[in-house]
């Protein structure tokens, strides 16, 4: 028998794990291959879904924690841990009662005090949570199973905010964990969700294991999106970190793994040519690629220079280099993305096929551009960001802009983008990033859609007129009224140009056909309901 290098690595890892696990535990933690799912998910570095907005940490949170409410397949909030809830006639007092059968993985009961502490911790860092805390007179328990959120003034979006799946999500933690400051990481990994984190099998940098929580009581309703009954149909899920994409696809072909979360675009044909594999889009909303400019420094402290970039961009050209397979790329001109009910075409006359470099050059001149260096942060280890940065630099140079690439890995971009200073002091002019198209449908939760200057996300765009409109969002409940408000906000946004969109990317997962039942929802990867043939 020939042993592959991958198998040698796996054997070595298994030996290391065996040394540290008592024999009785090893016997208890060895479910059959047919009930074990192996998923290539990337590297999980932080376990606390409140302290970071990393997607993989939120996937981890969805597995081990539960939520008060959950979104169904139509993105409507439904009770999850909550049995029933009510609101007073003046819309200021909300009461919540927990359902029966909720227990933590340490076998203690979930209480209302746990939920109140979790809301308060989430409210320290999440934009929607901060709004809840600002509006709240108090959030308090009535008894072990009921609690109240009392508001100083109505907040029509309250239930939507409690149910949202944009990071950081409102996962319920034990009171003693949620009592930690939001800046201090929770590492216990004890939730009340459908999976238990297997601490004994944790191999940081290599793999993590999740076991079915046998004591979890699913809701009686049929599963619908992330709502309804969370029924786990496998005994164990193992997340593997395989950095090399070709190795990951080879493992998928050899049935050494069952799923790859982000297969590389150039290997799509290889996946589709294998009769045992399939590409599947779980997040139909996808991600929007965004260009953020430093609004505090020249030349982009002038709105005309920002509008120049808006006119320069040819989204079709960017799509070809960011997602070569046209099935998985779209243009996007609404600040609310493509899939939101608030997506609209207000003030999008700048959108022209091929862009308008002549108009872009003219706007730079009108902004008083005088050859200042424009530094583009280039994340070389991300093919989307890397390719887009190079194309952008070339297009800027063609119209006479002194564009310079600053290559680094993405962690270098993250470190440098916090610098508000000029490029001479290791500041920056432009960087490229992404956010969920789903998230962009909510201007309260979406970091990109804040225009409050120093308090805004990196780039720090500022428009008092826009912020006054955004401030009305949480108080408007009727869909048509929100659509009208969305058009007003977009009109102002594309005048002062808070950012520039480069396109929308849809990223399918790759899986073996023997793995089925995967839940198709934005942002988060749910592991319940899936099963192996």
């Amino acid at each position: 028998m020939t042993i592959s290098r991958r198998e040698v690595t796996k054997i070595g890892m298994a030996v290391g794990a065996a040394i540290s696990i008592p024999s009785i535990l090893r016997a208890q933690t060895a479910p059959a291959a047919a009930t074990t799912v192996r998923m290539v998910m990337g590297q999980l570095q932080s376990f606390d879904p409140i302290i970071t907005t990393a997607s993989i940490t939120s996937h981890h949170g969805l597995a081990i924690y539960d939520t008060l409410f959950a979104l169904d397949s139509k993105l409507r909030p439904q009770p999850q841990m909550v049995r029933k809830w009510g609101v007073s006639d003046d819309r200021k007092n909300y009461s919540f009662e927990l359902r029966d059968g909720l227990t933590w993985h340490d076998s203690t009961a979930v209480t209302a005090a746990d939920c109140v502490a979790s809301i308060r911790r989430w409210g320290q860092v999440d934009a929607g949570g901060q709004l809840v805390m600002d509006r709240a007179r108090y959030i308090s328990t009535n008894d072990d199973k009921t609690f109240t959120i009392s508001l100083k003034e109505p907040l029509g979006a309250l239930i939507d905010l409690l149910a949202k799946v944009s990071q950081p999500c409102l996962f319920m933690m034990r009171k003693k964990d949620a009592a930690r400051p939001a800046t201090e990481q929770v590492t216990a990994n004890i939730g009340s969700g459908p999976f238990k984190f297997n601490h004994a099998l944790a191999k940081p940098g290599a793999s993590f294991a999740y076991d079915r929580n046998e004591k979890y009581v699913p809701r009686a309703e049929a599963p619908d999106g992330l709502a309804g009954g969370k029924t786990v149909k496998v005994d164990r899920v193992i997340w593997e970190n395989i950095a090399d994409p070709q190795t990951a696809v080879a493992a998928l072909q050899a049935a050494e793994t069952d799923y790859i979360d982000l297969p590389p675009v150039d290997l799509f044909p290889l996946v589709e040519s294998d009769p045992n594999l399939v590409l599947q889009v779980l997040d139909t909303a996808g991600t929007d690629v965004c260009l953020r400019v430093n609004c505090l420094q020249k030349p982009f402290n002038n709105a005309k220079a920002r509008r120049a970039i808006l006119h320069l961009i040819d989204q079709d050209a960017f799509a070809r280099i960011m997602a070569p397979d046209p099935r998985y790329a779209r243009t996007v001109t609404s600040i609310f993305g493509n899939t939101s009910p608030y997506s609209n075409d207000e003030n999008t006359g700048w959108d022209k096929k091929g862009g308008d470099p002549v108009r872009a050059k003219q706007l730079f001149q009108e902004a008083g551009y005088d050859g200042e260096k424009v530094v583009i942060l280039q994340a070389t280890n991300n093919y989307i960001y890397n390719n887009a940065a190079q194309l952008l630099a070339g297009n800027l140079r063609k119209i006479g802009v002194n564009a310079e690439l600053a290559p680094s890995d993405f962690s270098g971009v993250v470190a440098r983008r916090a610098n508000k200073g000029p490029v001479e002091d290791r500041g920056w002019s432009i960087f490229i990033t992404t956010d969920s198209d789903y998230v962009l449908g909510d201007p309260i939760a979406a970091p990109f859609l804040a225009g409050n200057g120093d308090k805004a996300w990196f780039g720090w765009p500022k428009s008092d007129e826009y912020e006054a409109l955004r401030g009305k969002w949480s108080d408007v409940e009727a869909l048509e009224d929100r659509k009208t408000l969305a058009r007003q906000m977009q009109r102002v946004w594309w005048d002062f140009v808070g950012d520039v969109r480069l396109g929308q990317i849809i990223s399918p997962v790759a899986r073996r056909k023997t793995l089925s039942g995967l839940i198709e929802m934005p942002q988060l990867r749910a592991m319940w309901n899936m099963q192996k043939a």
Side-chain angles (χ1 to χ4, degrees):
M1 179 179 69
T2 302
I3 300 178
S4 68
R5 180 162 49 183
R6 174 178 168 79
E7 288 168 328
V8 169
T9 302
K10 289 168 62 180
I11 291 169
M13 291 166 58
V15 169
I19 292 172
S20 62
I21 302 173
S23 59
I24 186 169
L25 179 58
R26 291 200 302 272
Q28 292 173 345
T29 56
T35 58
T36 298
V37 174
R38 293 182 175 272
M39 305 175 74
V40 178
M41 294 293 292
Q43 188 165 356
L44 177 64
Q45 295 179 309
S46 174
F47 298 103
D48 186 346
I50 298 299
I51 207 169
T52 179
T53 58
S55 294
I56 192 167
T57 304
S58 295
H59 304 332
H60 161 82
L62 190 67
I64 69 169
Y65 297 113
D66 214 341
T67 56
L68 296 173
F69 293 85
L71 295 182
D72 64 19
S73 58
K74 295 182 180 179
L75 304 183
R76 299 171 302 192
Q78 304 294 343
Q80 183 57 40
M81 296 173 73
V82 169
R83 187 178 80 85
K84 64 179 181 179
W85 65 280
V87 59
S88 62
D89 292 340
D90 63 2
R91 316 293 291 177
K92 292 183 180 180
N93 294 287
Y94 288 77
S95 59
F96 305 89
E97 179 182 328
L98 299 177
R99 64 187 179 92
D100 294 333
L102 300 177
T103 59
W104 298 111
H105 298 158
D106 62 6
S107 298
T108 58
V110 175
T111 68
D114 297 314
C115 300
V116 169
S118 296
I119 293 171
R120 288 175 176 161
R121 186 170 189 261
W122 166 75
Q124 295 176 42
V125 294
D126 180 75
Q130 290 169 348
L131 177 61
V132 172
M133 299 307 293
D134 287 343
R135 294 282 182 95
R137 284 198 305 124
Y138 59 83
I139 303 175
S140 63
T141 61
N142 303 317
D143 54 41
D144 282 350
K145 298 198 68 172
T146 64
F147 65 95
T148 297
I149 299 179
S150 180
L151 304 172
K152 291 175 284 191
E153 54 184 304
L155 179 58
L158 177 63
I159 303 301
D160 294 303
L161 292 172
L162 300 181
K164 72 181 185 67
V165 298
S166 55
Q167 294 100 333
C169 306
L170 178 54
F171 294 118
M172 294 297 104
M173 296 181 174
R174 298 177 302 175
K175 180 180 178 180
K176 64 180 180 180
D177 295 325
R180 292 175 181 243
T183 54
E184 183 180 321
Q185 184 169 187
V186 172
T187 58
N189 292 315
I190 294 177
S192 64
F195 285 89
K196 289 183 175 182
F197 184 79
N198 191 318
H199 292 83
L201 296 185
K203 304 169 188 173
S207 65
F208 295 101
Y210 299 83
D211 294 337
R212 179 167 59 90
N213 178 9
E214 296 179 351
K215 295 182 179 179
Y216 183 78
V217 180
R219 292 188 68 90
E221 300 92 339
D224 181 16
L226 299 178
K230 298 181 178 180
T231 302
V232 177
K233 301 178 180 179
V234 296
D235 291 331
R236 175 170 294 163
V237 177
I238 298 175
W239 286 8
E240 296 185 323
N241 177 31
I242 303 177
D244 180 67
Q246 291 185 327
T247 301
V249 172
L252 188 68
Q253 290 181 304
E256 294 176 348
T257 191
D258 303 290
Y259 170 103
I260 302 175
D261 196 55
L262 285 172
V265 174
D266 57 340
L267 295 181
F268 285 1
L270 179 61
V271 172
E272 293 185 301
S273 68
D274 190 318
N276 298 309
L277 309 182
V278 65
L279 294 173
Q280 180 180 356
V281 174
L282 299 183
D283 183 356
T284 55
T287 58
D288 291 0
V289 187
C290 176
L291 183 155
R292 301 288 289 191
V293 299
N294 188 339
C295 298
L296 303 180
Q297 302 293 337
K298 288 184 176 182
F300 299 116
N301 59 346
N302 188 306
K304 286 190 174 181
R306 301 196 295 269
R307 283 200 288 273
I309 297 289
L310 197 61
H311 284 270
L312 180 66
I313 296 303
D314 174 7
Q315 288 198 19
D316 289 332
F318 277 89
R320 288 192 293 271
I321 58 98
M322 295 189 304
D325 191 326
R327 294 175 296 172
Y328 302 113
R330 304 169 190 162
T331 60
V332 55
T333 58
S334 176
I335 66 171
F336 298 95
N338 282 334
T339 57
S340 166
Y342 313 115
S343 304
N344 67 85
D345 61 358
E346 185 74 20
N347 198 12
T348 55
W350 45 266
D351 179 39
K352 294 182 180 179
K353 191 172 183 62
D356 190 348
V358 174
R359 178 61 175 151
K361 184 174 184 177
Q362 179 186 352
L363 283 166
F364 266 116
Q365 292 170 346
E366 292 177 8
Y369 177 70
D370 193 29
E372 296 94 348
K373 185 184 295 184
V374 170
V375 173
I376 304 169
L377 304 185
Q378 177 191 11
T380 55
N381 60 337
N382 180 301
Y383 76 92
I384 292 177
Y385 301 163
N386 184 43
N387 292 349
Q390 292 183 67
L391 178 58
L392 176 64
N395 288 346
L396 284 168
R397 290 166 185 154
K398 288 178 183 177
I399 62 170
V401 174
N402 180 16
E404 178 181 292
L405 290 167
S408 70
D409 61 15
F410 185 67
S411 63
V413 173
V414 169
R416 188 167 175 178
R417 71 185 182 185
N419 186 344
K420 295 180 179 180
V423 296
E424 293 80 10
D425 295 332
R426 282 196 56 78
W428 56 276
S429 308
I430 297 172
F431 77 92
I432 295 161
T433 186
T434 57
D435 202 359
S436 164
D437 194 84
Y438 156 79
V439 172
L440 291 168
D442 181 357
I444 301 301
F448 288 8
L449 295 185
N452 50 353
D454 281 349
K455 296 180 180 178
W457 203 63
F458 304 104
W460 311 286
K462 180 175 175 58
S463 168
D464 293 339
E465 182 182 5
Y466 171 83
E467 279 298 295
L469 293 169
R470 190 171 77 101
K472 297 178 180 179
W473 188 269
S474 58
D475 298 316
V476 176
E477 293 188 60
L479 178 62
E480 291 305 316
D481 291 341
R482 278 192 172 179
K483 286 183 176 181
T484 299
L485 182 58
R487 296 189 72 89
Q488 295 170 348
M489 292 170 65
Q490 184 165 300
R491 173 185 55 78
V492 178
W493 183 273
W494 288 139
D495 280 345
F496 81 93
V497 192
D499 63 16
V500 177
R501 307 298 160 86
L502 301 183
Q504 181 187 23
I505 306 298
I506 308 296
S507 300
V509 304
R511 63 172 174 84
R512 293 192 64 80
K513 290 182 178 178
T514 50
L515 183 67
S516 62
L518 277 66
I519 294 173
E520 297 181 358
M521 283 291 286
Q523 287 279 88
L524 301 181
R525 298 287 189 259
M527 299 192 297
W528 62 85
N529 200 58
M530 66 181 180
Q531 56 189 328
K532 287 179 70 171

